Amino acid sequence: EVLIEASQSLQHKQQQKIQAEAKELINKHAQAVFADDKTTVGNPQGSVTLVEFFDYQCGHCKEMAPVVLSVVEKNPNLRVIYKEFPIFGEQSLMISKAALAAGMQKKYAQMHDVLLMSKKSLNDDEIMKIAQSLKLDMKKFKKDLQSQEVQKTIDDTRKLGELIHLMGTPAFI
């Protein structure tokens, strides 16, 4: 019993230390964490901000999607900033690029919702079908998929995640 209590006490202290470090790092990088003009949903002028780092292929992210949507609908003063954080390989990267490319046509929120709620495998063909269903300019969409701007957004988010010691997805701030 003494060993179990000591182990639990140590775990609790370690968790408190990790949380304190995370708060410090988030405060240090707050400008980058809370800045975005491409992936914001809800009230862009809201005084309450929720930031979510996520991956479209993350099961827990998919489970949280309806919860986040419900919170947005019920709170007119809430601004949600989605941070594309593809950690599940090349297909995750492609899906994130598709969402950001749709955002360049002011359709980020619609693309995001469809991609995150999709029960289908999100291969390249399925992504193109979704883009067409949203009536995107497909020539521009395909060009934006390969753009430096889209890649830079993902790279910057990845660096930010590393700076704040992000452990996985979903991560909420």
Side-chain angles (χ1 to χ4, degrees):
E1 289 178 20
V2 171
L3 290 175
I4 291 171
E5 285 180 26
S7 175
Q8 289 173 341
S9 176
L10 177 63
Q11 284 180 330
H12 181 71
K13 286 178 184 177
Q14 288 173 331
Q15 286 176 333
Q16 286 180 322
K17 182 181 177 187
I18 290 169
Q19 287 177 345
E21 288 173 355
K23 285 180 183 178
E24 185 178 314
L25 290 167
I26 290 166
N27 285 333
K28 182 178 178 180
H29 301 285
Q31 185 174 355
V33 170
F34 295 103
D36 186 81
D37 61 350
K38 296 179 187 100
T39 61
T40 300
V41 300
N43 180 350
Q45 308 305 318
S47 62
V48 177
T49 301
L50 172 68
V51 177
E52 180 184 5
F53 289 79
F54 72 98
D55 184 307
Y56 290 103
Q57 296 194 108
C58 165
H60 297 296
C61 298
K62 286 183 173 286
E63 289 173 10
M64 289 304 299
V67 175
V68 173
L69 285 175
S70 174
V71 171
V72 170
E73 290 171 3
K74 293 176 183 172
N75 296 280
N77 197 33
L78 179 64
R79 172 176 72 138
V80 177
I81 299 172
Y82 290 114
K83 298 285 189 181
E84 301 283 336
F85 198 67
I87 58 173
F88 289 103
E90 288 299 314
Q91 197 57 34
S92 286
L93 179 61
M94 176 61 172
I95 299 166
S96 287
K97 285 181 175 184
L100 292 169
M104 294 174 87
Q105 296 184 45
K106 308 289 188 230
K107 298 265 182 139
Y108 177 82
Q110 297 91 325
M111 178 66 98
H112 170 82
D113 291 347
V114 172
L115 292 171
L116 207 51
M117 301 289 193
S118 178
K119 303 288 186 214
K120 296 180 180 179
S121 175
L122 293 171
N123 59 35
D124 294 357
D125 290 339
E126 188 61 30
I127 291 168
M128 292 303 161
K129 287 178 189 173
I130 293 168
Q132 288 173 331
S133 75
L134 295 175
K135 302 195 183 332
L136 295 177
D137 174 336
M138 293 306 290
K139 185 176 179 181
K140 179 175 175 18
F141 177 73
K142 290 175 183 177
K143 180 181 175 193
D144 291 340
L145 274 173
Q146 306 304 320
S147 73
Q148 288 290 77
E149 182 179 350
V150 164
Q151 186 62 52
K152 183 178 180 333
T153 299
I154 292 170
D155 291 344
D156 289 349
T157 301
R158 184 169 286 131
K159 288 175 190 168
L160 178 60
E162 290 171 7
L163 287 172
I164 64 173
H165 297 178
L166 200 62
M167 299 290 202
T169 59
F172 294 95
I173 300 169

